[in-house]
């Protein structure tokens, strides 16, 4: 099951490569995703992502470093959620697994480029 391990402000790296001590209010917000994101977990995963996108001001960041598995339905859920963001806002993917990158490539730039960025 896909799980959102926590909501977080992403630390902004300082010029020396370490996290800065700036206020959380000025940092981008997002979530860490773990477990599986597939057809069986899609409804809950989609509900969470859409709520996160509705509540966020600016870009939304997702860290997939702890994700064990994602299939095409999970990737399409991410793309749909990104499409719900307003003009000029992006869903920024951190540490997407190789399978996710490949599915995004196959979906092509028309489906992804307007609202998804990979960091």
């Amino acid at each position: 099951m896909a799980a959102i391990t926590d909501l977080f402000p992403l630390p902004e790296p300082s010029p020396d490569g370490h996290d800065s001590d700036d206020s959380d209010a000025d940092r981008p917000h997002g979530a860490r995703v773990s477990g599986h994101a597939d057809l069986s977990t899609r409804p809950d995963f989609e509900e969470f992502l859409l709520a996160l996108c509705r509540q966020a001001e600016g870009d939304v960041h997702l860290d997939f470093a702890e994700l064990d598995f994602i299939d095409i339905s999970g990737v399409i859920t991410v793309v749909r959620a990104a499409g719900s963001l307003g003009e000029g806002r992006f869903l920024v993917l951190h540490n997407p697994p190789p399978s996710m990158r490949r599915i995004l490539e196959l979906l092509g730039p028309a489906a992804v480029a307007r609202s998804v960025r990979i960091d």
Side-chain angles (χ1 to χ4, degrees):
M1 171 186 285
I4 307 307
T5 55
D6 59 324
L7 297 175
F8 64 96
L10 281 170
E12 291 290 331
S14 63
D16 64 3
H18 296 88
D19 293 344
S20 67
D21 293 325
D22 294 338
S23 157
D24 285 351
D26 296 332
R27 295 181 185 168
H29 285 79
R32 289 185 177 92
V33 182
S34 64
H36 289 67
D38 55 24
L39 188 58
S40 67
T41 62
R42 189 200 59 76
D44 293 335
F45 188 45
E46 184 172 37
E47 182 180 330
F48 170 78
L49 291 178
L50 290 173
L52 184 63
C53 289
R54 277 193 305 270
Q55 295 170 5
E57 297 177 17
D59 296 342
V60 176
H61 295 254
L62 295 175
D63 185 349
F64 291 97
E66 297 176 18
L67 187 70
D68 297 322
F69 176 80
I70 190 164
D71 69 3
I72 191 163
S73 66
V75 176
I76 288 173
T77 299
V78 170
V79 172
R80 282 185 184 164
S84 74
L85 293 168
E87 185 72 25
R89 295 173 56 208
F90 297 94
L91 193 58
V92 182
L93 312 180
H94 299 269
N95 305 303
S99 61
M100 184 177 201
R101 289 177 182 267
R102 180 66 179 137
I103 294 168
L104 289 169
E105 286 174 16
L106 292 171
L107 291 174
V112 179
R114 286 174 284 154
S115 53
V116 174
R117 295 284 184 259
I118 298 177
D119 182 38

